[in-house]
Amino acid sequence: MLKATRCFMVAVAGFALVAGCGGGSDDNANQGPIGGNLATITSQNAPTIAGVVAEAAFEDGIFGVVAGQGVPLGSSGTGALLAISGVLNAPLPPEILAAQMSMAPCLVNGMVDFEVTIQNPPELSVNDQFRLTFSACDDGTGTVTDGVIIMTVTDFQGDMASEQFVLGMSVELQAFQVTHDGQTTGASGMISVVIDTSMPPLTTITVSTTALTTTTEGTTETVSNLSVTITEDDSMFPVAVTVDTSFRISSPRIGGDVIVSTSLALQSSGDEYPFMGELRIAAAGNSVIVLIALDSNSVRLEIDIDGDGALDDTIDTTWAEILAAAQTG
């Protein structure tokens, strides 16, 4: 599947995710006013901009942070992991639904507390809540988690036991941060999640947020007006994944904001990068980058620098290269 889609991880998330040369319709209306601190696109910075967008959408950006990257799994800490997994498309077992409060050591160091408020155990219902508090929680994989995740059920239909249900949740991050291999990323904000497994073998995950802010090593980035729909077909092997998304991302790495949408849904297989699909990246002066997936390794950037609708440059590169460019941008 798209990397980190189940980790949202907008995508999502996950982060996180068209008009232009590839065709399609203009989705800018979904992003609010086109003005603001929009970035300037050049041939030189186009790979960095594309990499930052790809990173936020499906690499280790927004969605990786929301996933916690390594929520602890200990003897009694299993419940905390499974509570999170309920948001990540896994049914919650009865022992978790019946729990009220528990404190558990993490695998290596630190603690995790989880408080469960269930109105009618062991069934889920609207307003049920899971509150997880991490304190220097080391899961043994080089990841340490701190802060609070509060998940509140906003909709529930179906049956967890049959794994056919519609589950809606709001996810609030409070002073939440993950340190992985010496790099710390924090996140704050509210996310809405809807998971629909009612029509197997299809699973649809919809993620949205008005604004989610992350800070990594002093660099603060914000994803706003995010909407992402991830559809997984488990009848295929590897799992076939389709993603439609739109969002605005503000990052000092690209010198401002860009507005992102899919003109052609991103498609991937297993853990590969997308082999098909297009992302439209709009910036200052109606300038545009259309990121086109050529295959699971290669991408093409079609660049309109002056916003006149004509191509000014084309760059053929790879997913790995644009993601590397994002790190040096």
Side-chain angles (χ1 to χ4, degrees), residues 240-272:
V241 179
T242 301
V243 174
D244 278 295
T245 188
S246 61
F247 59 90
R248 183 170 184 144
I249 182 168
S250 174
S251 171
R253 290 185 288 168
I254 59 177
D257 301 9
V258 292
I259 296 169
V260 183
S261 56
T262 43
S263 57
L264 180 64
L266 298 169
Q267 298 182 50
S268 67
S269 179
D271 289 328
E272 300 293 330

Side-chain angles (χ1 to χ4, degrees), residues 89-91 156-167 195-203:
N89 193 26
F156 181 70
Q157 305 169 46
D159 177 33
M160 283 287 187
S162 69
E163 299 188 16
Q164 295 183 28
F165 56 86
V166 176
L167 172 63
I195 300 167
D196 186 346
T197 67
S198 62
M199 299 183 66
L202 298 181
T203 294

Side-chain angles (χ1 to χ4, degrees), residues 22-216:
S25 61
D26 193 340
D27 290 330
N28 286 340
N30 297 330
Q31 299 301 316
I34 190 70
N37 182 33
L38 291 176
T40 298
I41 291 175
T42 66
S43 294
Q44 290 70 36
N45 70 9
T48 297
I49 292 174
V52 169
V53 167
E55 180 186 79
F58 51 77
E59 176 65 10
D60 57 359
I62 298 298
F63 301 132
V65 171
V66 174
Q69 297 194 23
V71 175
L73 179 61
S75 55
S76 56
T78 305
L81 177 63
L82 292 175
I84 289 254
S85 74
V87 181
L88 304 181
N89 193 26
L92 296 173
E95 59 268 24
I96 300 305
L97 295 178
Q100 295 301 315
M101 182 179 296
S102 179
M103 177 182 294
C106 302
L107 279 178
V108 175
N109 188 49
M111 301 292 294
V112 57
D113 299 339
F114 67 97
E115 183 176 352
V116 181
T117 303
I118 301 290
Q119 297 183 61
N120 299 299
E123 300 295 331
L124 276 180
S125 57
V126 173
N127 295 324
D128 288 350
Q129 189 174 90
F130 303 82
R131 181 185 182 97
L132 293 88
T133 302
F134 302 94
S135 302
C137 185
D138 187 339
D139 71 348
T141 64
T143 298
V144 177
T145 306
D146 286 280
V148 179
I149 300 178
I150 302 172
M151 299 178 289
T152 303
V153 177
T154 57
D155 184 27
F156 181 70
Q157 305 169 46
D159 177 33
M160 283 287 187
S162 69
E163 299 188 16
Q164 295 183 28
F165 56 86
V166 176
L167 172 63
M169 300 192 84
S170 66
V171 182
E172 179 180 0
L173 305 178
Q174 297 181 352
F176 184 78
Q177 67 177 35
V178 172
T179 301
H180 185 72
D181 291 338
Q183 179 171 285
T184 299
T185 300
S188 61
M190 294 284 297
I191 306 164
S192 296
V193 181
V194 178
I195 300 167
D196 186 346
T197 67
S198 62
M199 299 183 66
L202 298 181
T203 294
T204 300
I205 305 170
T206 303
V207 183
S208 61
T209 183
T210 301
L212 181 68
T213 299
T214 63
T215 301
T216 303

